[in-house]
Amino acid sequence: MNKPIAVLGGGNGGHQMALDLTLRGFDVNFCEHPDFKESFKNTLDTKIIENTGLIEDKARIHEVTLDFKKAMKDVDIIYLVIPAIAHESFFDNMIPHLRDGQLVVIWAGDAGALRLAKKLREEAPRKRINIAETNTLPYGTRLLGPSKVDLFVKAKKMFFSTFPAKETEEMLGMVKETFPVLESIDNILSVSFSNPNPTVHPPGTLLNIGRIQWSKGDFYLYREGITEAPSRIIRMVYDETLAVAKAFGFRMREFEDEQFRNPCSVMCVDFWAPFDKGGIVANMKGPSSIYNRYITEDLPYGLVHRSQLGDLVNVPTPIIDSIINLGSGICESNFWKGRTLMDLGLDGMNREQIMEYLQMGC
Amino acid sequence: MNKPIAVLGGGNGGHQMALDLTLRGFDVNFCEHPDFKESFKNTLDTKIIENTGLIEDKARIHEVTLDFKKAMKDVDIIYLVIPAIAHESFFDNMIPHLRDGQLVVIWAGDAGALRLAKKLREEAPRKRINIAETNTLPYGTRLLGPSKVDLFVKAKKMFFSTFPAKETEEMLGMVKETFPVLESIDNILSVSFSNPNPTVHPPGTLLNIGRIQWSKGDFYLYREGITEAPSRIIRMVYDETLAVAKAFGFRMREFEDEQFRNPCSVMCVDFWAPFDKGGIVANMKGPSSIYNRYITEDLPYGLVHRSQLGDLVNVPTPIIDSIINLGSGICESNFWKGRTLMDLGLDGMNREQIMEYLQMGC
């Protein structure tokens, strides 16, 4: 029997992953941050998670806990499945218990792997931890109630890289058994730039913000919101991102023209989602507020480093910058203080130094 | 009997002004550009205009014509009542027939007075024409059909300045009889910055653009669109505009905090519009397209020179710039090529030179 896999984060994605891996024969140590003890109580007490939607099944999870130490003790693989906004807090709880040789994979990392690497360098420089991230969660899923998830789409293509990138193939070998759809790509920035959320969600949401507020939650981004004009801006965010990647010389997920011209833009291209037929994605309600993660996570964590990297290689990103400015104004936050090159440990480097750092780790 | 007044431009505002002045005892020479002969045909043939709404009356206009020469011949005052996008074409038709001492007033000029001054300097440098503009039209009005206008709001406060500004008081004396609500203000930039349309319309429209397209025209900007978040961006456009004006040292229309927090933001503060009660403005339908004047006129003609003047005095205008970038992307036009400092004859000048030029005309 293999060692258990740690799944950290007890939200939608964490519940789904803990159950999915369990159903597929893996032992899972499922751990939530103590701050969220209340909402996690049922899962903690029963250890049972139930699935509806694409999977109709339930299972008993190997271990469910609020104790990071316990969850991370005898595992080789740690899957972190949380919003980027919670990275800092989870990293702080994880670092004391990390041990040499463990692999931490940050799902839909928004370059969080670079952030964790910087923190480890500063706070635990002697630990030899492998760090990786993916560009998206493997699921579109929502908690329907305590310990009950509804799975509506599954990824058919996901990108994976480690930091440093030279270890990607070796680490992919470790995790491929759990998620066979993972594909390696150049480096962590290749992965974060390939996350479709920052490309689609902030412009889609901002360009409907009056309607979102007026409708008081009766809003469907993919059915109503992503009409021709928002699609065009989404395409421009993507084009600017791709231009930055090309100027640096790393690959990212590329899309065809026509993939921007459907009701959910490129959002579901890599998912088993009949988005323009069955209405699975079209029927997803929301966002219902300006403080939704479509803005508060995807914008500061997803777009700021794209813009700053553009500056470094003289690639203008006026549309990305405009989205950041307007989102900041709307939420009365300075989102430019989101995930910056300084947070990622890339400040002060030039293009060549960044590419070398991503590849070699120093 | 006084000389007739020329009203140039046969759209909503022109029809309303020709009728209003006629009803108040002035002779009007009402002239449309020959390009719009078809839509102007009924008025041209009958010379009768009918009013509904705040005025229920009709009248026979002194002269109705497509001939600029005829309209402008024996008049002292020429009122230009057209979208900024048509300024260039009307100026070209007017310039040959302008004669010394005439006053041209551009209604809701968007700094068009400076544009006309530049063209006169280049094309007819010996003519001594007085040029003025106002910050808004005196009416909220729409053509309901041929020669029939519906007046729903009237201005209770409008700003007026001449170029050069030193002649403002003298010229205001000439026009005050026709529009007693006109007030003098520092200079042409004071007037263009006081136009509420560029402040309210582009952000209000862009931040609802998905809804505007999805609803296929069933959209009410003032009832549904200007919720809290768009209001906040409108306020930021205003704040940036005011900061530029203050850095230059000229006055502009200022608003109270609370005036931004109503369904139509500051749009109707200077109008006799019970905007938050009777729904007169709330029931205005539209805009229904991204190519509406709320974008295609107000954005390139109203916002670009605010941003460029900000650059000159080191006042950042990130929200205005973001609106210009996103509007350009949505309409696939480079709106930065709208009304620029070069078009206005202000390029190459510093702050002091601009202030001197606005005041003295050289």
Side-chain angles (χ1 to χ4, degrees):
Chain A
M1 189 64 190
N2 287 327
K3 288 182 189 171
I5 294 165
V7 172
L8 309 185
N12 304 305
H15 272 85
Q16 184 64 62
M17 188 181 284
L19 178 59
D20 179 34
L21 288 173
T22 301
L23 289 172
R24 290 194 283 120
F26 301 94
D27 283 346
V28 171
N29 292 348
F30 186 30
C31 176
E32 175 60 302
H33 192 290
D35 282 358
F36 301 103
K37 189 174 159 181
E38 275 313 303
S39 61
F40 198 58
K41 190 171 184 312
N42 192 70
T43 308
L44 201 58
D45 291 348
T46 64
K47 291 193 165 59
I48 306 283
I49 303 176
E50 198 180 337
N51 222 153
T52 59
L54 297 184
I55 300 176
E56 302 269 351
D57 208 344
K58 60 180 173 179
R60 186 183 179 82
I61 310 303
H62 174 74
E63 181 66 76
V64 182
T65 179
L66 297 169
D67 182 342
F68 280 81
K69 185 177 175 184
K70 192 172 174 185
M72 293 164 62
K73 192 160 188 290
D74 291 313
V75 308
D76 291 332
I77 299 173
I78 296 162
Y79 285 157
L80 188 63
V81 189
I82 58 172
I85 207 161
H87 281 173
E88 214 67 23
S89 167
F90 272 73
F91 292 164
D92 288 338
N93 279 274
M94 291 160 62
I95 287 173
H97 311 301
L98 281 169
R99 56 172 181 71
D100 288 1
Q102 282 182 318
L103 169 64
V104 178
V105 181
I106 308 173
W107 290 82
D110 281 334
L114 300 181
R115 177 67 196 148
L116 177 56
K118 184 181 182 186
K119 279 182 83 90
L120 281 169
R121 211 161 50 236
E122 291 167 353
E123 298 170 19
R126 307 183 66 143
K127 294 201 185 192
R128 292 290 164 262
I129 311 300
N130 301 303
I131 310 172
E133 72 177 66
T134 66
N135 69 314
T136 178
L137 264 187
Y139 320 102
T141 187
R142 289 288 179 272
L143 276 165
L144 292 181
S147 318
K148 190 167 178 179
V149 273
D150 183 51
L151 176 65
F152 45 88
V153 292
K154 280 184 78 171
K156 59 182 178 180
K157 183 169 184 163
M158 285 185 292
F159 290 109
F160 175 92
S161 179
T162 56
F163 176 77
K166 62 178 177 169
E167 288 154 11
T168 297
E169 294 307 329
E170 183 189 345
M171 295 301 145
L172 185 58
M174 260 179 92
V175 300
K176 187 106 184 173
E177 190 189 357
T178 60
F179 291 99
V181 296
L182 285 171
E183 293 177 18
S184 64
I185 195 167
D186 299 5
N187 57 44
I188 294 296
L189 293 181
S190 290
V191 179
S192 80
F193 278 33
S194 299
N195 182 351
N197 289 7
T199 303
V200 175
H201 287 159
T205 303
L206 289 178
L207 296 174
N208 285 286
I209 205 72
R211 183 65 192 179
I212 288 167
Q213 295 195 313
W214 170 255
S215 68
K216 299 191 195 310
D218 188 19
F219 176 72
Y220 298 81
L221 181 63
Y222 297 110
R223 188 201 296 165
E224 307 172 353
I226 303 189
T227 56
E228 190 198 358
S231 283
R232 203 171 290 152
I233 297 301
I234 288 166
R235 173 65 188 269
M236 292 176 83
V237 170
Y238 164 80
D239 286 342
E240 289 179 1
T241 305
L242 184 62
V244 175
K246 290 199 165 166
F248 268 92
F250 59 76
R251 284 181 304 145
M252 61 174 276
R253 176 69 170 101
E254 295 193 37
F255 298 99
E256 307 294 326
D257 282 6
E258 66 189 37
Q259 294 174 323
F260 288 92
R261 290 196 295 274
N262 70 56
C264 62
S265 191
V266 297
M267 215 43 212
C268 296
V269 174
D270 291 335
F271 285 82
W272 292 109
F275 49 80
D276 47 354
K277 291 182 194 125
I280 290 172
V281 173
N283 288 329
M284 282 173 64
K285 214 166 186 177
S288 62
S289 153
I290 60 177
Y291 302 110
N292 187 278
R293 281 174 57 187
Y294 282 19
I295 298 291
T296 56
E297 177 183 14
D298 294 325
L299 198 161
Y301 290 87
L303 293 182
V304 171
H305 65 281
R306 295 187 190 181
S307 169
Q308 293 185 326
L309 288 164
D311 291 345
L312 260 184
V313 287
N314 297 314
V315 171
T317 54
I319 294 294
I320 289 175
D321 297 356
S322 298
I323 298 285
I324 298 171
N325 286 333
L326 288 177
S328 297
I330 281 171
C331 291
E332 297 178 284
S333 295
N334 182 356
F335 285 141
W336 286 105
K337 294 185 179 171
R339 181 151 277 166
T340 63
L341 295 193
M342 181 171 291
D343 291 330
L344 299 178
L346 303 178
D347 55 308
M349 297 186 190
N350 63 24
R351 189 193 82 86
E352 289 68 29
Q353 290 165 328
I354 286 176
M355 289 299 282
E356 174 80 3
Y357 175 70
L358 294 173
Q359 185 63 28
M360 305 305 292
C362 56
Chain B
M1 188 66 193
N2 287 325
K3 288 182 190 172
I5 294 165
V7 172
L8 309 185
N12 304 304
H15 272 85
Q16 183 65 63
M17 187 181 284
L19 178 60
D20 179 33
L21 288 172
T22 300
L23 289 171
R24 291 194 284 119
F26 301 94
D27 283 347
V28 172
N29 292 347
F30 186 29
C31 176
E32 175 62 300
H33 193 289
D35 281 359
F36 302 103
K37 186 174 160 182
E38 274 313 303
S39 61
F40 197 58
K41 188 169 186 312
N42 193 70
T43 308
L44 200 58
D45 291 348
T46 66
K47 292 192 164 59
I48 306 283
I49 303 177
E50 198 180 336
N51 221 154
T52 60
L54 297 184
I55 300 175
E56 302 268 353
D57 208 343
K58 61 181 173 178
R60 184 182 180 83
I61 310 303
H62 175 73
E63 181 66 75
V64 182
T65 179
L66 298 169
D67 182 342
F68 280 80
K69 184 175 176 185
K70 192 170 171 186
M72 295 164 62
K73 192 160 189 290
D74 291 312
V75 307
D76 291 331
I77 299 174
I78 297 162
Y79 285 158
L80 188 63
V81 189
I82 57 172
I85 207 161
H87 281 173
E88 214 67 22
S89 165
F90 272 73
F91 291 165
D92 288 338
N93 278 275
M94 291 159 62
I95 287 174
H97 311 301
L98 282 169
R99 56 173 180 69
D100 287 3
Q102 284 183 316
L103 168 65
V104 177
V105 182
I106 307 174
W107 289 82
D110 282 333
L114 299 180
R115 177 67 194 147
L116 177 57
K118 184 182 182 187
K119 279 182 82 88
L120 279 170
R121 212 160 49 239
E122 291 167 353
E123 298 171 20
R126 307 183 68 141
K127 295 201 185 195
R128 292 290 162 263
I129 311 300
N130 301 302
I131 309 173
E133 73 177 64
T134 67
N135 69 315
T136 179
L137 264 187
Y139 320 103
T141 188
R142 289 287 179 273
L143 275 166
L144 292 181
S147 318
K148 189 167 179 180
V149 274
D150 183 51
L151 176 67
F152 44 89
V153 292
K154 280 184 78 171
K156 58 182 176 181
K157 183 171 184 162
M158 286 184 290
F159 290 110
F160 174 92
S161 179
T162 55
F163 175 78
K166 62 178 177 169
E167 288 154 11
T168 297
E169 295 306 329
E170 183 189 343
M171 295 300 145
L172 185 58
M174 260 180 91
V175 300
K176 188 108 182 170
E177 191 190 356
T178 60
F179 290 99
V181 296
L182 284 171
E183 293 178 17
S184 63
I185 196 167
D186 298 5
N187 57 44
I188 293 295
L189 294 180
S190 290
V191 179
S192 81
F193 278 33
S194 300
N195 182 350
N197 290 7
T199 302
V200 175
H201 287 159
T205 303
L206 290 178
L207 296 173
N208 286 287
I209 204 74
R211 182 66 192 176
I212 287 168
Q213 294 194 313
W214 170 256
S215 68
K216 299 192 196 308
D218 187 18
F219 176 74
Y220 297 81
L221 181 63
Y222 296 110
R223 187 201 298 165
E224 308 173 352
I226 302 187
T227 56
E228 190 197 359
S231 283
R232 203 171 290 150
I233 298 299
I234 288 165
R235 173 65 188 268
M236 292 175 83
V237 170
Y238 165 78
D239 286 342
E240 289 179 1
T241 305
L242 184 61
V244 175
K246 289 199 165 165
F248 269 91
F250 57 77
R251 284 182 303 145
M252 61 174 276
R253 176 69 172 99
E254 295 193 36
F255 299 99
E256 306 296 324
D257 283 5
E258 66 189 38
Q259 293 175 322
F260 289 92
R261 290 195 294 275
N262 71 55
C264 62
S265 189
V266 296
M267 215 42 214
C268 297
V269 173
D270 291 335
F271 285 81
W272 292 110
F275 48 81
D276 49 354
K277 293 182 193 124
I280 290 173
V281 172
N283 288 330
M284 281 172 64
K285 213 166 188 178
S288 62
S289 154
I290 60 177
Y291 302 110
N292 188 279
R293 281 174 56 185
Y294 282 21
I295 299 291
T296 55
E297 178 182 13
D298 294 326
L299 198 161
Y301 289 86
L303 293 181
V304 171
H305 66 281
R306 295 188 190 180
S307 169
Q308 294 184 327
L309 288 164
D311 292 345
L312 259 184
V313 287
N314 297 314
V315 171
T317 54
I319 295 293
I320 289 175
D321 297 355
S322 298
I323 298 285
I324 298 172
N325 286 332
L326 288 177
S328 297
I330 281 172
C331 292
E332 298 178 284
S333 295
N334 182 357
F335 285 142
W336 287 105
K337 294 186 178 169
R339 181 152 276 167
T340 63
L341 296 194
M342 182 172 291
D343 290 330
L344 299 179
L346 303 177
D347 54 309
M349 296 187 191
N350 63 24
R351 188 193 81 86
E352 289 68 28
Q353 289 165 330
I354 286 175
M355 290 298 282
E356 174 80 4
Y357 175 70
L358 294 173
Q359 186 62 30
M360 305 304 294
C362 56

